[in-house]
Each structure stands twice: as C-alpha cells, then as structure tokens.
C-alpha cells in the first residue's frame, strides 16, 4: 500500500476540492437525521414518567453537550498532528473547529439552563459538571482569542495548537465529573458501558440526533475548512484558477 | 544589562558550550551540566529581581489591596468576613499571581535572553522550569507568607494559619506553572494582559476551587487533607507538563 | 546525554509525574470531596458546626408536611442509614417528590434540623414512558407514592451514599 493518499491530504488544493465534494455527503444525511430525530423526539416519543414533556429538551441538550466535547477532541488531535508533523491543513482543521465547538458548548449551557429551571428548580448551580462545561467555553474563547491576537498565521497555528493540547485535560474532567463528585447533574444515560437507561422509543430519536449532530458538525467543518484554506492560500496560483474557473 | 542579554545569561550559554564540549567526550554519561544551567538561570532571575525591588513588591501590594477592598465594600463585620475569607484570599492570590505573570518572560524576550537560552544547546524545558521556580519563589512563596496576615485581618483565628499557608504555597506552585504556559504563548503580543487572563484563568479555576475549599476547611477546623492532595496533584501535573508546553511555546515565538 | 537517552528520561518523567498526580487525586477522592454531604456524613460530624453546606439524599416516603396557610414545608432527607429533618420556606421545584433525590442549601440548627433556603430536585438518568414505569413498579410489587421510585433499585442510583456511588459501575463509560 502506498501512502500517497495520506500525503495528498496535506495539499491545500486537493483538500479544497475534496471538502467541496464531501460536504453534501455529510449535509444531507445530517438534515434527514435531525428532522427525523426531532419528529421522533418531540412528537412520537412518549412523555417521561417523571419529567413529563419537559424531558424532550434532552434531544437538543445531550447532542450539543456531546458535540462540545467531541469537537474539542477533534480540534486537539488536529492541532497535535499539525504541531508534530507540521501539516498546515491540520492547523486549518483545528482553527475551523473552534467556533463550531464554542457554539455547541454555548447551546449545551443554554439548553441545560432551560432544562434545569423546571426540573431542578434552578437555571444554574455551581455543580462540577456545569462548571467544567463553562470552563470548556472559556477554553474555546481563549483559543480563538489567541489566534486573533497573533498576526502571523504560522505562529498563531502553532501557539494555539499548544493551548488546544494543554486544554485536553478538561475533557475527561467534564465527562467523569458526574461520577467523581456526587453532583446535581444526572449520570450519563447513553454514553456508558452498560445498557442505556432509556426506553427504546425515546432512545432511537436521541441516537438519530447524536448522529445527525455529528454529521452536521462534519458538514460545517468542511465548509469552514474551505474558507480557511482559501484565506490562507489567497496568494497561491491555484486559487486564481479556482476562482476564475 | 547588556543589549544581548544579561551577563548571567551569557554564563548560562557558556555552561551550554562546556556541556557540548564535554558531551563529545563523555557522550551522555553525566547529567550535571544540564541542571547546572537551570540552577544558574534560577540564580540569575532571583538576582535580577532583587535589583528591581519595586517590581517585586507590586503583586504583593496588589494582593493586600484586593483583600482590603472586601471589608470596606461588604461590611467590616468579622463574622461575615470570616465566611467570605477563603474566596477573598484565593481570588486575591489568583489575581496577584496573574499580575506577576507579565514579568515572567517579558524582559527576557525584549533583551534576547530567551533567544540565547533557546540557542544555548541546553534543555529549554529545564530552563523554563528554572524560570518558573524563580517566579514562584518571588511571588507564590511571599503570597503564601502574606496570606495569614490577610486572613487575620478578615477575622480568621490563628489556628487556621498553618492550613492557609500550606494551601496557598502548594496552590501557587500550580498557578505559576499554569501561568508560565499562558505567558509563553502570549509573548510578543502587545497589550497581552486581557488575553493572558483569558488563557490562564480557565485552567487555574480548579486551583481556585480546591484552594478555597482547603482554606475554608482550615478556618472551620475540618479535615483539609483531601483538597490539599488535589492541589498537590495539579501542582505535580504542572511540574511535569507545564515546562514542556512553555518551552514549546517559547520556541514557537522565536520562529 | 544522547538524544535517545534524553527522550527516555522525558518519557519516564512524564509517566512518573502523571502517576504521582493520579495517585494524589485518587487518595483525595477516597476521602471526602463532595458537592453535597449526605445524612451519614452529617451524623458523623463531618460538617463543621455553623457552616453553610449542601445536604443531599432522598426524601423519606410520607415525611412531607406542609404548614397550613404558609409556604413552610418539613420533610426528612435520608440515605437509608441516617435521617436529617429539613425545614424550608418557599416554592418546591416540580420534580420534588417523596422517594426522589434532593439537594438543599442551608445550615444545621442546634436542634438538629437542617434549615434550607434553597431546595433543588435531583433526577436520575432513567427515562421511560409512564406506562412502563407503572408496570415495572407493579411487577416489583413496590408501593411507592406516585411512580417516582425507579423500578429495580431501593435508592435511585444517583442519590446513594457517595461510597456506594463511587463503587457502582453503571455511571462510567464514554
């Protein structure tokens, strides 16, 4: 087997074209899954035995929270790859991840607050899970701030990559916070070793939403990546060909 | 200080030179020169700091002022102050340590010392560790010694003093190390203060939480071993990883 | 040092440092690093006198009493080995049920009553339609108030005393 396919991934024109080709393969299934998942979750799924209809916010909250961690992990891995093997495209991936991850984190915090008010009796509580998720938002903002503060793209890439890698310590803390401390937040229902603690009629739409959000992230990442590659390579000759074509 | 780094920096670089000569003959049989350079860098930073005593006192004065704000702003009632004392002490210590971070690499980046360190052939990780150690000796340790005074002025009983000193001493090690990463990442950015806080504060929050918890337990006479151990865990993790990250960040800033 | 040896030292240093940090954290977690205290810890005197803290546990069946004409409620929080009576004035959250988990902020009074100024309901990670909950309950022959009790466990999983909560594997996973 040759490694040419891998080396081609480091080439901006190839990535630009590949991202364009792949985007619909992520976007359409994402749209179908999210529509189906919302229909299943908000209409077909029965009300919860304890929380009634209020539990339905889980169909937005849990996938957002899950994505906030998954996007950070993706960003840190891309940053580490860029740092170690000096692949520019990897840095472009990491840079494209940050605003998406920050948005998912914000969405998870807001939907969590809206869910917490009726169920727990409070919008916000300085609970380990909530606090560590808030720290994640600040990490994303710090990453974006550092990139904005450094004018030289190459230096911004490498410095922000160090920050992204250092911030990874927070990811397991967020995930296990509900297990390590006895917290107000409930334990995971789906992301656990044992069987999910959710009736199948409620679980299926949730899994559709999880997959839909993941694919949606893929689609948005590809679109952002194209923009990132375009702006980084703005003086390259292949851009002129792409634009004039 | 000469234009190209202080004389002491030259000594560090020289230590590097002798090391390279030696290592040709002895190919890795001795580790001493490596630590020699780190020790020299530490001594140099301490010496420089004592030449500029005004700068040295700033974070401490800031800490004293911050802890003074609360009795004046909230209420001078000692019972209430005692309740908020852990938070006041730790927020003050965190902000003072943050303020001091700007001095950690700034002068050395201006006069080229950092560049000499990076080119000296010495392990930049050890040199970063030495610089951070100097920073802790100059800010963290004095803060830990000052914290009891601030605590007493907030109505805390003298019995809590050992616990408070221990928690601030251990916690400030972690703060200096976490801060060294942020300071190295923001090298060369003009008006980097706000950005430095944005990078450093989120990672420092666990230290604030466990530190305030330990202080609270010290004040109320509870068992404070568990939060102290968590502080120590963060500090050890910092000792292990922060100099590596800071060295990488300094290299990146010099590229 | 040769580069190879230097790398060895580096890797050993990282592994050593991370293990020491992990050991310290584990030792801390074996003691009490909790978001809330449970009644057993309160009974054991782990909560320093006069300090505000969070009390967590289950509301004992049949212990809820409302004072007529006011918002004052009294109930008992239990972890199935010790009980703490709680008094609270205010609106209870929707999910507050007898047999379900709560976290209350407040202070111990000298007579051993916990005076709460905020009561939060803690729900578990189980979701199911009401019919399923009812039939499960019937099958287990439990006669809990209004279907709030989770079917198979005596306590609702997440409000067990922390020692048990740490030991119970179900909440681990990715």
């Amino acid at each position: 087997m040759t490694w040419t396919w891998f080396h081609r991934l480091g080439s901006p024109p190839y990535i630009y074209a590949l991202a364009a080709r792949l985007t619909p393969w992520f976007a359409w299934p994402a749209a179908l899954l999210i529509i189906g998942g919302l229909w299943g979750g908000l209409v077909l799924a029965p009300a919860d035995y304890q929380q009634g209809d209020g539990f339905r916010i889980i169909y937005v909250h849990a996938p957002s929270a899950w994505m906030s961690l998954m996007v950070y992990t993706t960003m840190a891995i891309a940053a580490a790859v860029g740092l170690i093997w000096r692949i520019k495209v990897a840095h472009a991936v990491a840079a494209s991840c940050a605003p998406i991850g920050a948005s998912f984190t914000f969405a998870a915090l807001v939907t969590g607050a809206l869910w917490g008010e009726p169920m727990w009796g409070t919008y916000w509580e300085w609970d380990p899970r909530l606090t560590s998720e808030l720290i994640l938002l600040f990490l994303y903002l710090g990453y974006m701030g550092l990139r904005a503060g450094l004018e030289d793209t190459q230096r911004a890439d490498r410095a922000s990559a160090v920050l992204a890698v250092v911030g990874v310590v927070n990811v397991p803390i967020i995930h296990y916070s509900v297990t390590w401390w006895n917290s107000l937040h409930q334990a995971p229902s789906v992301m656990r070793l044992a069987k999910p603690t959710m009736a199948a009629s409620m679980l299926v739409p949730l899994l559709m939403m999880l997959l839909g959000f993941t694919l949606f992230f893929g689609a948005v990442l590809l679109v952002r990546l194209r923009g990132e590659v375009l702006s980084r390579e703005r003086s390259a000759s292949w851009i002129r060909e792409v634009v004039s074509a | 200080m000469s234009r190209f780094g202080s004389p002491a920096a030259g000594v560090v670089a020289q230590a590097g030179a002798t090391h390279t000569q030696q290592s040709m003959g002895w190919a890795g049989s001795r580790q001493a020169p490596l630590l020699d350079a780190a020790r020299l860098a530490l001594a140099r930073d301490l010496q420089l700091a004592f030449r500029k005593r005004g700068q040295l006192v700033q974070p401490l004065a800031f800490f004293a002022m911050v802890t003074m704000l609360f009795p004046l702003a909230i209420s001078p009632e000692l019972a209430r102050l005692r309740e908020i004392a852990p938070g006041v002490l730790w927020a003050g210590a965190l902000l003072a340590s943050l303020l001091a971070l700007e001095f950690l690499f700034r002068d050395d980046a201006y006069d080229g010392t950092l560049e000499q360190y990076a080119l000296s052939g010495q392990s930049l990780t050890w040199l970063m560790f030495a610089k951070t150690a100097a920073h802790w000796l100059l800010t963290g340790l004095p803060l830990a010694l000052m914290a009891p005074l601030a605590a007493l002025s907030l109505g805390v009983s003298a019995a809590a003093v050992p616990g408070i000193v221990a928690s601030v001493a251990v916690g400030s090690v972690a703060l200096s190390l976490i801060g060294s990463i942020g300071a190295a990442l923001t090298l060369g950015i003009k008006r980097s203060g706000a950005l430095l806080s944005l990078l450093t504060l989120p990672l420092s929050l666990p230290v604030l939480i466990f530190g305030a918890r330990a202080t609270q337990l010290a004040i109320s006479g509870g068992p404070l071993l568990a939060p102290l151990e968590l502080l120590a865990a963060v500090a050890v993790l910092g000792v292990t990883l922060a100099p590596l990250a800071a060295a990488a960040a300094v290299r990146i800033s010099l590229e | 040092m040769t580069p190879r040896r230097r790398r060895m030292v580096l890797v050993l240093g990282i592994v050593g440092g991370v293990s020491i940090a992990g050991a310290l954290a584990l030792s801390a977690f074996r003691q009490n690093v909790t978001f809330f205290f449970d009644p057993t810890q309160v009974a054991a005197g782990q909560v320093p006198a006069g300090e505000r803290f969070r009390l967590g546990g289950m509301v004992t069946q049949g212990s809820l009493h409302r004072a007529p004409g006011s918002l004052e409620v009294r109930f008992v929080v239990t972890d199935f080995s010790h009980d703490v009576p709680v008094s609270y004035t205010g609106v209870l959250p929707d999910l507050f049920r007898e047999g379900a988990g709560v976290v209350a902020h407040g202070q111990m009074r000298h007579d051993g009553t916990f005076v709460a100024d905020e009561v939060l309901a803690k729900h578990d990670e189980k979701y199911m339609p009401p019919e399923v909950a009812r039939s499960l309950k019937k099958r287990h022959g439990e006669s809990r108030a209004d279907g709030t009790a989770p079917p198979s466990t005596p306590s609702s999983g997440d409000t067990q005393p922390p020692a048990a909560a740490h030991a119970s594997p179900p909440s681990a996973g990715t």
Side-chain angles (χ1 to χ4, degrees), chain C residues 3-17:
Chain C
R4 189 151 168 218
R5 194 157 148 191
R6 194 179 273 200
R7 214 174 306 139
M8 279 276 287
V9 171
L10 180 70
V11 170
L12 284 180
I14 292 178
V15 171

PDB file of all heavy atoms in Angstrom, chain C residues 3-17:
ATOM      1  N   PRO C   3      20.503  11.963  22.473  1.00  0.00           N
ATOM      2  CA  PRO C   3      19.082  12.304  22.265  1.00  0.00           C
ATOM      3  C   PRO C   3      18.170  11.161  22.702  1.00  0.00           C
ATOM      4  O   PRO C   3      17.095  11.389  23.252  1.00  0.00           O
ATOM      5  CB  PRO C   3      18.989  12.518  20.756  1.00  0.00           C
ATOM      6  CG  PRO C   3      20.367  12.792  20.303  1.00  0.00           C
ATOM      7  CD  PRO C   3      21.306  12.146  21.281  1.00  0.00           C
ATOM      8  N   ARG C   4      18.613   9.931  22.446  1.00  0.00           N
ATOM      9  CA  ARG C   4      17.770   8.794  22.775  1.00  0.00           C
ATOM     10  C   ARG C   4      17.563   8.720  24.279  1.00  0.00           C
ATOM     11  O   ARG C   4      16.444   8.530  24.754  1.00  0.00           O
ATOM     12  CB  ARG C   4      18.459   7.532  22.271  1.00  0.00           C
ATOM     13  CG  ARG C   4      17.574   6.347  22.371  1.00  0.00           C
ATOM     14  CD  ARG C   4      17.944   5.358  21.298  1.00  0.00           C
ATOM     15  NE  ARG C   4      17.268   4.114  21.594  1.00  0.00           N
ATOM     16  CZ  ARG C   4      17.822   2.938  21.393  1.00  0.00           C
ATOM     17  NH1 ARG C   4      19.045   2.865  20.910  1.00  0.00           N
ATOM     18  NH2 ARG C   4      17.153   1.857  21.666  1.00  0.00           N
ATOM     19  N   ARG C   5      18.656   8.897  25.003  1.00  0.00           N
ATOM     20  CA  ARG C   5      18.562   8.805  26.447  1.00  0.00           C
ATOM     21  C   ARG C   5      17.722   9.965  26.997  1.00  0.00           C
ATOM     22  O   ARG C   5      16.947   9.807  27.931  1.00  0.00           O
ATOM     23  CB  ARG C   5      19.969   8.847  27.026  1.00  0.00           C
ATOM     24  CG  ARG C   5      19.907   8.416  28.439  1.00  0.00           C
ATOM     25  CD  ARG C   5      21.199   7.899  28.927  1.00  0.00           C
ATOM     26  NE  ARG C   5      21.253   8.244  30.338  1.00  0.00           N
ATOM     27  CZ  ARG C   5      22.319   8.137  31.073  1.00  0.00           C
ATOM     28  NH1 ARG C   5      23.431   7.725  30.530  1.00  0.00           N
ATOM     29  NH2 ARG C   5      22.274   8.467  32.328  1.00  0.00           N
ATOM     30  N   ARG C   6      17.898  11.129  26.358  1.00  0.00           N
ATOM     31  CA  ARG C   6      17.129  12.290  26.785  1.00  0.00           C
ATOM     32  C   ARG C   6      15.633  12.022  26.622  1.00  0.00           C
ATOM     33  O   ARG C   6      14.823  12.354  27.474  1.00  0.00           O
ATOM     34  CB  ARG C   6      17.550  13.490  25.938  1.00  0.00           C
ATOM     35  CG  ARG C   6      17.079  14.799  26.482  1.00  0.00           C
ATOM     36  CD  ARG C   6      17.549  15.922  25.610  1.00  0.00           C
ATOM     37  NE  ARG C   6      18.875  16.379  25.990  1.00  0.00           N
ATOM     38  CZ  ARG C   6      19.353  17.583  25.656  1.00  0.00           C
ATOM     39  NH1 ARG C   6      18.633  18.392  24.941  1.00  0.00           N
ATOM     40  NH2 ARG C   6      20.549  17.938  26.029  1.00  0.00           N
ATOM     41  N   ARG C   7      15.291  11.382  25.507  1.00  0.00           N
ATOM     42  CA  ARG C   7      13.877  11.084  25.273  1.00  0.00           C
ATOM     43  C   ARG C   7      13.355  10.093  26.312  1.00  0.00           C
ATOM     44  O   ARG C   7      12.240  10.217  26.803  1.00  0.00           O
ATOM     45  CB  ARG C   7      13.698  10.510  23.859  1.00  0.00           C
ATOM     46  CG  ARG C   7      12.371  10.923  23.241  1.00  0.00           C
ATOM     47  CD  ARG C   7      12.266  10.481  21.794  1.00  0.00           C
ATOM     48  NE  ARG C   7      13.391  10.933  20.991  1.00  0.00           N
ATOM     49  CZ  ARG C   7      13.994  10.175  20.065  1.00  0.00           C
ATOM     50  NH1 ARG C   7      13.584   8.944  19.840  1.00  0.00           N
ATOM     51  NH2 ARG C   7      14.991  10.654  19.361  1.00  0.00           N
ATOM     52  N   MET C   8      14.211   9.116  26.658  1.00  0.00           N
ATOM     53  CA  MET C   8      13.834   8.144  27.691  1.00  0.00           C
ATOM     54  C   MET C   8      13.509   8.845  29.012  1.00  0.00           C
ATOM     55  O   MET C   8      12.490   8.580  29.645  1.00  0.00           O
ATOM     56  CB  MET C   8      14.997   7.171  27.937  1.00  0.00           C
ATOM     57  CG  MET C   8      15.107   6.055  26.944  1.00  0.00           C
ATOM     58  SD  MET C   8      14.032   4.714  27.399  1.00  0.00           S
ATOM     59  CE  MET C   8      14.933   4.062  28.808  1.00  0.00           C
ATOM     60  N   VAL C   9      14.432   9.747  29.396  1.00  0.00           N
ATOM     61  CA  VAL C   9      14.244  10.477  30.656  1.00  0.00           C
ATOM     62  C   VAL C   9      12.951  11.269  30.606  1.00  0.00           C
ATOM     63  O   VAL C   9      12.166  11.293  31.553  1.00  0.00           O
ATOM     64  CB  VAL C   9      15.448  11.405  30.911  1.00  0.00           C
ATOM     65  CG1 VAL C   9      15.162  12.323  32.092  1.00  0.00           C
ATOM     66  CG2 VAL C   9      16.701  10.587  31.168  1.00  0.00           C
ATOM     67  N   LEU C  10      12.709  11.885  29.443  1.00  0.00           N
ATOM     68  CA  LEU C  10      11.497  12.691  29.278  1.00  0.00           C
ATOM     69  C   LEU C  10      10.251  11.833  29.469  1.00  0.00           C
ATOM     70  O   LEU C  10       9.353  12.178  30.240  1.00  0.00           O
ATOM     71  CB  LEU C  10      11.515  13.318  27.876  1.00  0.00           C
ATOM     72  CG  LEU C  10      10.327  14.194  27.538  1.00  0.00           C
ATOM     73  CD1 LEU C  10      10.391  15.466  28.341  1.00  0.00           C
ATOM     74  CD2 LEU C  10      10.313  14.514  26.046  1.00  0.00           C
ATOM     75  N   VAL C  11      10.226  10.694  28.777  1.00  0.00           N
ATOM     76  CA  VAL C  11       9.044   9.831  28.856  1.00  0.00           C
ATOM     77  C   VAL C  11       8.863   9.321  30.281  1.00  0.00           C
ATOM     78  O   VAL C  11       7.761   9.354  30.838  1.00  0.00           O
ATOM     79  CB  VAL C  11       9.169   8.663  27.860  1.00  0.00           C
ATOM     80  CG1 VAL C  11       8.082   7.629  28.105  1.00  0.00           C
ATOM     81  CG2 VAL C  11       9.086   9.179  26.436  1.00  0.00           C
ATOM     82  N   LEU C  12       9.971   8.888  30.896  1.00  0.00           N
ATOM     83  CA  LEU C  12       9.881   8.406  32.275  1.00  0.00           C
ATOM     84  C   LEU C  12       9.385   9.513  33.201  1.00  0.00           C
ATOM     85  O   LEU C  12       8.549   9.281  34.075  1.00  0.00           O
ATOM     86  CB  LEU C  12      11.248   7.907  32.747  1.00  0.00           C
ATOM     87  CG  LEU C  12      11.665   6.546  32.197  1.00  0.00           C
ATOM     88  CD1 LEU C  12      13.038   6.161  32.738  1.00  0.00           C
ATOM     89  CD2 LEU C  12      10.638   5.489  32.577  1.00  0.00           C
ATOM     90  N   GLY C  13       9.898  10.715  32.986  1.00  0.00           N
ATOM     91  CA  GLY C  13       9.483  11.844  33.812  1.00  0.00           C
ATOM     92  C   GLY C  13       8.001  12.105  33.690  1.00  0.00           C
ATOM     93  O   GLY C  13       7.300  12.295  34.694  1.00  0.00           O
ATOM     94  N   ILE C  14       7.498  12.085  32.444  1.00  0.00           N
ATOM     95  CA  ILE C  14       6.073  12.353  32.241  1.00  0.00           C
ATOM     96  C   ILE C  14       5.232  11.262  32.895  1.00  0.00           C
ATOM     97  O   ILE C  14       4.281  11.547  33.632  1.00  0.00           O
ATOM     98  CB  ILE C  14       5.752  12.467  30.732  1.00  0.00           C
ATOM     99  CG1 ILE C  14       6.397  13.723  30.166  1.00  0.00           C
ATOM    100  CG2 ILE C  14       4.262  12.465  30.492  1.00  0.00           C
ATOM    101  CD1 ILE C  14       6.184  13.905  28.694  1.00  0.00           C
ATOM    102  N   VAL C  15       5.619  10.007  32.641  1.00  0.00           N
ATOM    103  CA  VAL C  15       4.850   8.898  33.216  1.00  0.00           C
ATOM    104  C   VAL C  15       4.865   8.996  34.738  1.00  0.00           C
ATOM    105  O   VAL C  15       3.826   8.878  35.406  1.00  0.00           O
ATOM    106  CB  VAL C  15       5.426   7.547  32.736  1.00  0.00           C
ATOM    107  CG1 VAL C  15       4.786   6.393  33.505  1.00  0.00           C
ATOM    108  CG2 VAL C  15       5.188   7.381  31.249  1.00  0.00           C
ATOM    109  N   GLY C  16       6.064   9.259  35.295  1.00  0.00           N
ATOM    110  CA  GLY C  16       6.181   9.363  36.754  1.00  0.00           C
ATOM    111  C   GLY C  16       5.319  10.491  37.304  1.00  0.00           C
ATOM    112  O   GLY C  16       4.558  10.294  38.257  1.00  0.00           O
ATOM    113  N   GLY C  17       5.412  11.664  36.689  1.00  0.00           N
ATOM    114  CA  GLY C  17       4.659  12.822  37.173  1.00  0.00           C
ATOM    115  C   GLY C  17       3.167  12.590  37.109  1.00  0.00           C
ATOM    116  O   GLY C  17       2.448  12.858  38.078  1.00  0.00           O
TER     117      GLY C  17
END
